[in-house]
Amino acid sequence: MKKHILAFALMGASAAASAQFQVNPQLGLNFQTLTNPPAGIDYAARAGYSLGVDFRIGNRLYLQPGVALGRSSTFFQYNDSTFSEGKVVRNNLKLKTLVGYRIIDNYQFDLRFGIGPSYDVLLSNDVKDTEIAWNEGDFNKGSWNLDAALGFDMGIVTVEPGVSFGLTRVFEDNPTVGQIDSRYLTYGLTVGINIGDDDKNDD
């Protein structure tokens, strides 16, 4: 039994040593809107940005944890007799772990796909340009999401469009906003560089 455990441990250490490891600092744009607007309200995404870093661990099949600071903005408009509009500007910290697969894997070009969970920690939330009485306490402090991304690597340059589907309600369960069942929907594009092991191992 001990021999089997030792053999598995040695196999795991060998696989970890032979796996690719890359660090990917990146800048990004994001466009965040909300789903399920209540009657009389329209949502629309506005441009935001992010700064972060991903890590890729593995060869053809890889793990992609990452962290990013981001700022996003969503426009909203009430279409009733009072007619009011404004925007919500958020600063957040995104933590994610994707599982990815390199569909094309060669020295000149990589095409890969990743999917997995993420969690957005709300750092600040500012409702601007409106008289609507939403305040920071009306919004959930965090949001679980399902992220998916399609990546392109050309030499040291990496480009990754992606989408994040919010699984957590945007608003807290209180009398003011408890009936609004909206989730975040975020489209993003990051551009970065690959630093680290670029050996191609088609395992």
Side-chain angles (χ1 to χ4, degrees), residues 1 15 23 25 27 36 62 69 75 90 110 114-115 149 171 190:
M1 182 67 177
V23 181
L27 294 169
N36 301 323
Y62 62 90
L69 285 170
F75 174 83
R90 307 175 192 86
D110 281 3
I115 189 169
F171 294 97
T190 62

Side-chain angles (χ1 to χ4, degrees), residues 16-17 19 26 29 34 41 69 80 82-83 128 131 137 175 180 182-184 190 196:
Q26 56 197 231
L29 287 174
L34 278 61
I41 300 180
L69 285 170
D80 59 14
T82 61
F83 188 83
K128 296 183 174 183
E131 296 179 358
I180 304 178
S182 298
R183 267 75 169 170
Y184 295 113
T190 62

Side-chain angles (χ1 to χ4, degrees), residues 14-55:
S14 176
S18 64
Q20 280 182 229
F21 179 80
Q22 292 179 314
V23 181
N24 312 114
Q26 56 197 231
L27 294 169
L29 287 174
N30 65 67
F31 298 87
Q32 187 174 80
T33 187
L34 278 61
T35 65
N36 301 323
I41 300 180
D42 293 327
Y43 297 134
R46 294 291 185 265
Y49 59 86
S50 64
L51 173 65
V53 60
D54 284 358
F55 305 90

